[in-house]
């Protein structure tokens, strides 16, 4: 309905890029090639291959990836419809649109299908687009690493209201305006199935700590973006420094680490 010029906040949650990988036509065949296997995009057809240690044929994996790409294309189409509606209602020129994801998806890059168990970049490196439709200007790609916790204070700044005291995120307004800035260290966490893991991503390096097994992984993301070569045993000083930084921003609770919330 018409918003009558008043302030508004709208959250639209598109769940489609998710299993089941079952996009509607014509997106269901946009990326798929010839496939004669037994897997469909329905989770029930491939669930047995989801856990670690379950091998999946390359053709089956590619088919699932193609269907997932169809889900993404379908969602992109729906976001386009939303933007058209925003313009049709006369609200576009006073709106800011932010598009982001909560996680990515694994297709056996590190032995698992889906998401929730691991913290490799295919899961944690997500898209973030900010479009201030109230202004005009060229698009800008920000190279610096930012975090999902930075979205809320950024929205507050764009709306002209102060963020609540004590939050951990920082506004991205400087980077969005083209000002120089540094990458921000990012912490991720997962607790699912038999996995309890945390990661610390900073300055082109990634530390992953598996609390359920006390295992550590360290990756040089500049030289090894696919996170294949674990440098934990070869870069002990760097690894221990990153683990200390992770520890300083977390606290021990019931045998595990939880984020330490900033105080007022």
């Amino acid at each position: 309905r018409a918003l009558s010029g008043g302030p508004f906040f709208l959250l639209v949650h598109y769940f489609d890029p998710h299993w089941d990988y079952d996009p509607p036509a014509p997106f269901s065949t946009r990326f798929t090639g010839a496939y004669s296997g037994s897997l469909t995009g329905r989770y029930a057809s491939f669930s047995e291959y989801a856990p670690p240690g379950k091998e999946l044929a390359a053709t089956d994996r590619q088919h699932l990836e193609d269907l997932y790409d169809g889900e993404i294309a379908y969602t992109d189409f729906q976001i386009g419809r939303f933007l058209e509606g925003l313009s049709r209602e006369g609200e576009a020129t006073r709106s800011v649109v932010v598009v982001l994801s909560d996680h990515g998806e694994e297709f056996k890059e590190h032995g698992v299908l889906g998401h929730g168990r691991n913290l490799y970049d295919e899961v944690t490196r997500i898209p973030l687009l900010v479009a201030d439709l109230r202004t005009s200007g060229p698009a800008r790609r920000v190279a610096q690493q930012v975090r999902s916790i930075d979205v809320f204070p950024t929205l507050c700044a764009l709306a002209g209201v102060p963020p609540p005291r004590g939050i951990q995120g920082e506004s991205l307004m400087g980077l969005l305006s083209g000002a120089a800035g540094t990458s921000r260290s990012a912490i991720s966490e997962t607790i699912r199935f038999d996995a309890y893991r945390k990661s610390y991503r900073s300055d082109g390096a990634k530390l992953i700590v598996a609390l359920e097994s006390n295992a550590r992984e360290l990756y040089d993301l500049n030289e090894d973006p696919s996170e294949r070569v674990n440098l934990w045993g070869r870069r002990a000083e760097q690894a221990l420094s990153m683990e200390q930084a992770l520890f300083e921003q977390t606290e021990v609770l019931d045998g595990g680490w939880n984020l330490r919330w900033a105080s007022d």
Side-chain angles (χ1 to χ4, degrees), residues 8-11 96-101 126 128-130 134 146-173 176 184 261 264:
F8 69 95
F9 174 82
L10 179 63
L11 172 65
V96 176
V97 177
V98 177
V99 179
L100 77 161
S101 173
I126 60 173
L128 172 60
L129 298 89
V130 180
R134 302 169 301 179
V146 299
R147 307 156 304 181
S148 57
I149 60 173
D150 298 325
V151 174
F152 176 49
T154 302
L155 287 173
C156 289
L158 286 164
V161 298
R165 297 176 60 192
I167 65 172
Q168 290 180 306
E170 304 172 63
S171 170
L172 301 173
M173 291 300 294
L176 291 175
R184 307 174 187 196
W261 291 102
D264 288 350

Side-chain angles (χ1 to χ4, degrees), residues 21-41:
Y21 310 132
D22 189 26
F27 303 96
S28 56
T29 57
R30 174 171 291 189
F31 302 101
T32 55
Y35 175 71
S36 58
S38 60
L39 298 190
T40 70

Side-chain angles (χ1 to χ4, degrees), residues 187 200 207 240-252 257-258 260:
I187 293 174
Y200 188 77
L207 171 73
L240 290 174
S241 175
M242 293 181 69
E243 185 166 351
Q244 180 65 27
L246 175 61
F247 179 78
E248 288 173 353
Q249 297 179 58
T250 60
E251 60 184 5
V252 178
W257 294 349
N258 283 353
R260 187 191 304 279

Side-chain angles (χ1 to χ4, degrees), residues 54-235:
K54 295 288 188 176
E55 296 297 326
L56 185 66
T59 54
D60 290 333
R61 183 175 64 248
Q62 186 62 57
H63 182 60
L64 293 179
E65 288 187 39
D66 291 342
L67 292 172
Y68 182 68
D69 288 343
E71 293 271 14
I72 295 173
Y74 172 64
T75 301
D76 181 70
F77 172 74
Q78 295 299 333
I79 293 173
R81 291 185 62 204
F82 168 76
L83 294 175
E84 290 173 357
L86 199 65
S87 179
R88 187 170 57 250
E89 293 294 323
E91 302 294 342
T93 55
R94 67 184 192 95
S95 297
V96 176
V97 177
V98 177
V99 179
L100 77 161
S101 173
D102 54 346
H103 59 75
E105 199 82 339
E106 291 187 83
F107 289 93
K108 289 292 181 177
E109 293 90 345
H110 291 90
V112 173
L113 272 176
H115 57 272
R117 185 186 299 272
N118 288 329
L119 294 174
Y120 300 107
D121 267 12
E122 50 263 27
V123 175
T124 62
R125 190 177 182 186
I126 60 173
L128 172 60
L129 298 89
V130 180
D132 189 344
L133 305 181
R134 302 169 301 179
T135 62
S136 61
R140 178 181 295 106
R141 183 165 187 169
V142 174
Q144 291 88 342
Q145 174 175 288
V146 299
R147 307 156 304 181
S148 57
I149 60 173
D150 298 325
V151 174
F152 176 49
T154 302
L155 287 173
C156 289
L158 286 164
V161 298
R165 297 176 60 192
I167 65 172
Q168 290 180 306
E170 304 172 63
S171 170
L172 301 173
M173 291 300 294
L175 291 175
L176 291 175
S177 64
T182 58
S183 293
R184 307 174 187 196
S185 299
I187 293 174
S188 299
E189 175 185 45
T190 185
I191 306 175
R192 190 174 183 188
F193 304 119
D194 58 348
Y196 184 9
R197 298 170 187 176
K198 294 184 181 291
S199 71
Y200 188 77
R201 198 180 194 276
S202 180
D203 296 325
K206 174 93 159 284
L207 171 73
I208 300 174
V209 179
L211 293 166
E212 80 280 358
S213 63
N214 204 33
R216 269 72 170 162
E217 300 171 59
L218 177 68
Y219 298 101
D220 184 329
L221 299 176
N222 295 318
E223 299 294 328
D224 179 28
S226 298
E227 297 166 290
R228 298 295 183 186
V229 182
N230 185 1
L231 301 174
W232 172 259
R234 285 181 264 171
R235 297 188 183 178

